């Protein structure tokens, strides 16, 4: 497979047909919000099927689908944080829990915002070394080990109302790992929240709420970049179609994950990540995939 470039940006999705976009949109929507790395699957699935790599620009822009799904599912939380923090500022009540949560979300966004800007040219470049399958395989294994350690160590006693600014900063720093394909934004933040002893479903809720600004900024930035990349005209309907498909699948992914974590542990994700990582490392080492 070759890279499809426009102004130095990898826009391989422009050469895919609508069935391929549909399949990748479903996979992107599901894996974006599960702790299994959407970027890894956007590289692995096309590689296994012999399709063109859709490119990092596709994965980044598809984060807007995750944004729509998260806001829809957690609408009550989003509304309370927004109106509650505005009301707290008007009253001068800076101890209000919604104001504190809003400040925490902003604080947690700063680290990945800085790192994302610093690495954007490398992450989205054609033939980016960070999108190599070996890098993704190693990242999957490392995150499987860290998530397993968090699951073993966590006491699962805290909820979002007990969140402190220090917690937000720690999870925000962990979120930087999502810039490396194979790590997963939800995976890195969920793992950090578990290490901080949050309940599993609360850790996921915390992860999604803290990720809203980062997801929005990354997706909108990528759209801005694509607007100036001189893409072929037919690429835009492809991107819009992928966004719609990914939004629907992402919503059901959140619903399924929250229901799952209310009753079960994260061990299935640990095992899946480990197996995927080992498979990629072996496949690249033996020449099965490249």
């Amino acid at each position: 497979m070759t890279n499809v470039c426009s102004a130095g940006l990898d826009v391989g999705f422009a050469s895919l047909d609508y069935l391929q976009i549909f399949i990748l949109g479903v996979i992107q929507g599901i894996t974006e919000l599960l702790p299994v790395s959407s970027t890894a699957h956007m590289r692995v699935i096309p590689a296994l099927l012999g399709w063109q790599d859709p490119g990092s620009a596709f994965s980044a822009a598809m984060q807007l689908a995750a944004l729509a799904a998260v806001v829809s599912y957690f609408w009550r939380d989003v509304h309370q944080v927004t109106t509650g923090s505005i009301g707290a500022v008007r009253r001068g009540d800076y101890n209000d829990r919604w104001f504190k949560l809003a400040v925490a979300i902003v604080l947690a966004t700063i680290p990945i915002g800085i790192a994302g800007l610093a690495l954007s040219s490398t992450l989205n470049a054609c033939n980016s070394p960070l999108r190599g399958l070996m890098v993704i395989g190693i990242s999957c294994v490392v995150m499987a080990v860290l998530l397993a350690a968090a699951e073993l160590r966590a006491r699962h006693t805290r909820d979002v109302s007990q969140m402190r600014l220090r917690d937000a900063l720690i999870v925000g720093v962990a979120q930087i790992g999502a810039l490396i394909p194979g790590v997963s934004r939800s995976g890195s933040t969920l793992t950090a929240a578990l290490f901080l002893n949050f309940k599993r479903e609360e850790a996921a809720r915390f992860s999604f709420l803290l990720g809203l600004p980062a997801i929005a900024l990354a997706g909108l930035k990528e759209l801005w970049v694509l607007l100036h990349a001189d893409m072929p005209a037919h690429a835009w309907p492809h991107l819009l179609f992928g966004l719609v498909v990914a939004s629907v699948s992402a919503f059901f992914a959140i619903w399924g994950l929250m229901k799952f974590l209310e009753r079960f542990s994260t061990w299935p994700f640990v095992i899946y990540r480990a197996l995927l990582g080992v498979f990629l490392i072996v496949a690249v080492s033996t020449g099965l995939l490249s």
Side-chain angles (χ1 to χ4, degrees), residues 30-41 44 133-149 174 177-191 266-281:
I30 293 173
T31 58
E32 177 69 38
L33 298 175
L34 296 183
V36 295
S37 177
S38 60
T39 307
H41 288 78
V44 174
L133 291 177
M134 181 60 78
V135 172
I136 293 173
I138 294 172
S139 298
C140 283
V141 172
V142 170
M143 279 306 302
V145 172
L146 290 175
L147 184 55
L179 296 174
I180 303 173
V183 170
S184 164
R185 195 206 64 80
S186 63
S188 59
T189 53
L190 178 65
T191 299
T266 62
W267 283 107
F269 300 113
V270 170
I271 295 170
Y272 177 79
R273 290 187 66 102
L275 291 175
L276 176 61
V278 170
F279 165 75
L280 288 175
I281 292 172

Side-chain angles (χ1 to χ4, degrees), residues 58-83:
F58 179 81
S59 296
M62 285 298 107
Q63 291 187 64
L64 292 176
L67 177 68
V70 172
V71 170
S72 298
Y73 189 88
F74 292 102
W75 173 247
R76 180 176 297 179
D77 294 275
V78 173
H79 181 263
Q80 287 178 322
V81 170
T82 304
T83 59

Side-chain angles (χ1 to χ4, degrees), residues 56 111-125 128-130 176-181 221-222:
S56 58
I112 195 172
I114 295 173
L117 288 174
L119 295 174
S120 62
S121 59
T122 300
L123 291 169
N124 293 337
S128 172
L130 290 179
I176 294 175
L179 296 174
I180 303 173
K221 173 188 172 294
E222 206 57 48

